[in-house]
Amino acid sequence: MDPEIVANFLSEQRENAPEDLQQSFLSIEDYWDRKLWHQLTDVLVDYFKTPASAPQRLPLFRRFILTFSEKINQLKFVSLGLLAATQCSDDQERLSFLTDLTAKVNKPASQDAYVYALVAASDVKLRLQDLAGARKDLDTAESILDSFDSVETEVHATFYRTNASYYQAKAEFGSFYKNALLYLACIDLASLTLEDARSRAYDLSIAALISDSIYNFGELLLHPILDSLNTPEHSWLRDLLFAFNRGDLNAYNVLENNISKAPLLDEHKTFLWQKISLAALTEAVFRRPPHDRAMTFQTISQETKVQPHEIEILIMKALSLGLLKGSIDQVAEVARINWVQPKVLDMKQIDNMRLRLKDWDSSVNQLGNWIEGVGKDVWAA
């Protein structure tokens, strides 16, 4: 493009900019004139991130940035494009804009930028209910990401966030849970508003509870985002998660009335009871010392509040899910458990561990005293 046309355009945009941003345009014009592409890119990114720049983003991108797009960092070029896309009139226009942007960076040397733009386009497709199109783009992005030795965290974060949104739309709660946690691992939590953090914590908690593939909430229970649920309106959900983690049937019964507040939990009420029963079973096994894990069906029924005729099914379910390892004696109605899945412990469970260690220490001392008593002649010899 003719440099004079660009200079006139920038001059016009500077005059239209808010007074406090006009200094930025002077820097933009200076860096462009001197062909300092790195500095120009950085000042443009800062300018585009300023809320007051919103009306000028699309014109600047289309009539200015595209004229030197090949000369700048392609990941930052896509970042500028994504900020400009926020000003499109609707999602259809936005998708067309991002599709063109994606095609422009689809080159061997800029595959990270291509993934970044492709995932952004798939996010728009999700909003337009084109789930198949979004899945195709996300699968392409994932295969490219897997081939990288390293990539900017922002690219991974965008992928995991959009992938989580897809699985949430498909009601695949286990996959949503995994990708949502990976997204949180890629960002600074301080960058989330309190409302956004609370919304993500709420969705994660619901997914953890109703997923038929998640029986260990350790990562979520330890995550600081769960603190955003410490409000009168949402604290019951946080408490419910901890009740499930420790298999606390009494706490579940107290909190059960709140389940109707969350439609998805209400729909899965029967499943939630089965899940808390499994949690109560694993907790009952965990509390016992390893040498005392042969439990009668009657004992398990008392611990889990499950009817005696359903105990065998409960144990088989726990074994099939990998929550327990052991065997069942159907004739004697005894379950012999030799392993229980590790999990995050709360303070009460840690105290139980302390008591078990004290018992073990006492047993070792007794054994030592017995050996010393019956083996005196041996030791003397």
Side-chain angles (χ1 to χ4, degrees):
M1 183 179 286
D2 188 337
E4 187 177 346
I5 295 176
V6 174
N8 291 336
F9 171 73
L10 289 177
S11 177
E12 177 187 319
Q13 291 296 311
R14 172 163 41 83
E15 292 174 3
N16 293 334
E19 187 175 345
D20 58 329
L21 295 180
Q22 290 184 3
Q23 181 61 42
S24 296
F25 264 98
L26 293 175
S27 298
I28 290 171
E29 293 175 62
D30 178 47
Y31 292 143
W32 173 77
D33 188 50
R34 295 161 60 193
K35 296 181 172 53
L36 299 175
W37 307 121
H38 174 72
Q39 292 87 338
L40 177 58
T41 305
D42 286 345
V43 75
L44 280 168
V45 170
D46 290 340
Y47 185 76
F48 271 42
K49 287 181 178 179
T50 306
S53 72
Q56 295 177 297
R57 291 174 194 167
L58 277 174
L60 278 170
F61 188 85
R62 286 171 169 156
R63 297 181 58 185
F64 177 56
I65 295 172
L66 285 176
T67 65
F68 56 87
S69 62
E70 303 290 336
K71 297 179 173 68
I72 65 175
N73 180 290
Q74 294 297 279
L75 201 56
K76 290 185 177 180
F77 170 59
V78 171
S79 296
L80 289 166
L82 298 186
L83 288 166
T86 60
Q87 300 309 302
C88 291
S89 58
D90 56 35
D91 279 336
Q92 286 292 354
E93 181 189 349
R94 189 170 294 110
L95 180 59
S96 176
F97 178 90
L98 292 175
T99 301
D100 292 342
L101 178 64
T102 301
K104 193 167 183 62
V105 294
N106 187 11
K107 301 171 186 175
S110 57
Q111 287 294 285
D112 54 347
Y114 172 63
V115 168
Y116 196 20
L118 187 65
V119 171
S122 71
D123 191 38
V124 178
K125 289 180 181 180
L126 283 178
R127 294 202 294 272
L128 292 172
Q129 300 303 309
D130 180 11
L131 299 186
R135 185 68 264 162
K136 182 180 177 182
D137 289 348
L138 288 168
D139 286 342
T140 300
E142 185 171 23
S143 66
I144 296 172
L145 283 172
D146 288 342
S147 69
F148 289 152
D149 291 329
S150 62
V151 69
E152 290 291 331
T153 305
E154 187 177 6
V155 178
H156 264 133
T158 304
F159 171 76
Y160 289 131
R161 176 176 53 78
T162 307
N163 214 25
S165 297
Y166 170 81
Y167 286 120
Q168 188 174 29
K170 294 284 288 182
E172 296 181 22
F173 301 108
S175 296
F176 163 75
Y177 178 86
K178 173 187 172 184
N179 280 274
L181 280 176
L182 286 170
Y183 165 67
L184 293 176
C186 292
I187 64 168
D188 179 4
L189 285 183
S191 66
L192 298 178
T193 64
L194 180 57
E195 183 179 348
D196 191 17
R198 186 172 294 135
S199 174
R200 293 185 182 282
Y202 181 89
D203 290 342
L204 271 166
S205 300
I206 297 294
L209 290 169
I210 64 180
S211 170
D212 59 3
S213 61
I214 302 171
Y215 290 84
N216 190 332
F217 314 142
E219 286 181 274
L220 180 57
L221 296 178
L222 293 174
H223 204 288
I225 199 169
L226 209 57
D227 293 338
S228 64
L229 295 180
N230 278 332
T231 64
E233 184 181 356
H234 299 100
S235 60
W236 66 270
L237 184 56
R238 185 177 184 277
D239 294 341
L240 189 62
L241 275 174
F242 280 95
F244 268 79
N245 184 63
R246 62 178 182 270
D248 192 336
L249 291 168
N250 292 328
Y252 176 79
N253 291 332
V254 171
L255 296 165
E256 188 177 12
N257 291 334
N258 293 289
I259 287 177
S260 59
K261 296 177 182 178
L264 276 174
L265 290 184
D266 207 31
E267 288 175 23
H268 293 79
K269 204 167 184 178
T270 301
F271 172 74
L272 288 175
W273 173 251
Q274 295 170 352
K275 197 166 185 176
I276 191 69
S277 299
L278 285 167
L281 171 60
T282 57
E283 180 64 19
V285 174
F286 178 77
R287 284 199 304 265
R288 290 169 171 263
H291 63 270
D292 186 27
R293 286 181 174 173
M295 302 173 67
T296 65
F297 286 13
Q298 184 62 37
T299 300
I300 293 174
S301 177
Q302 292 171 357
E303 293 275 3
T304 63
K305 305 297 188 290
V306 172
Q307 296 299 317
H309 66 278
E310 296 177 340
I311 293 299
E312 187 175 347
I313 296 174
L314 180 70
I315 300 169
M316 290 174 66
K317 181 74 171 176
L319 293 172
S320 68
L321 290 169
L323 303 177
L324 302 174
K325 291 181 182 178
S327 59
I328 303 174
D329 186 333
Q330 294 173 305
V331 177
E333 295 191 336
V334 173
R336 294 182 174 85
I337 310 300
N338 52 45
W339 180 87
V340 59
Q341 185 185 73
K343 59 182 176 180
V344 171
L345 305 180
D346 61 21
M347 293 306 296
K348 183 177 179 181
Q349 291 168 310
I350 291 173
D351 188 56
N352 287 334
M353 282 285 291
R354 182 183 64 83
L355 294 175
R356 280 173 50 190
L357 285 170
K358 286 181 66 177
D359 290 341
W360 174 79
D361 183 56
S362 176
S363 298
V364 170
N365 285 332
Q366 289 175 13
L367 179 61
N369 292 334
W370 177 80
I371 291 174
E372 185 179 354
V374 300
K376 286 180 179 178
D377 294 339
V378 176
W379 307 136

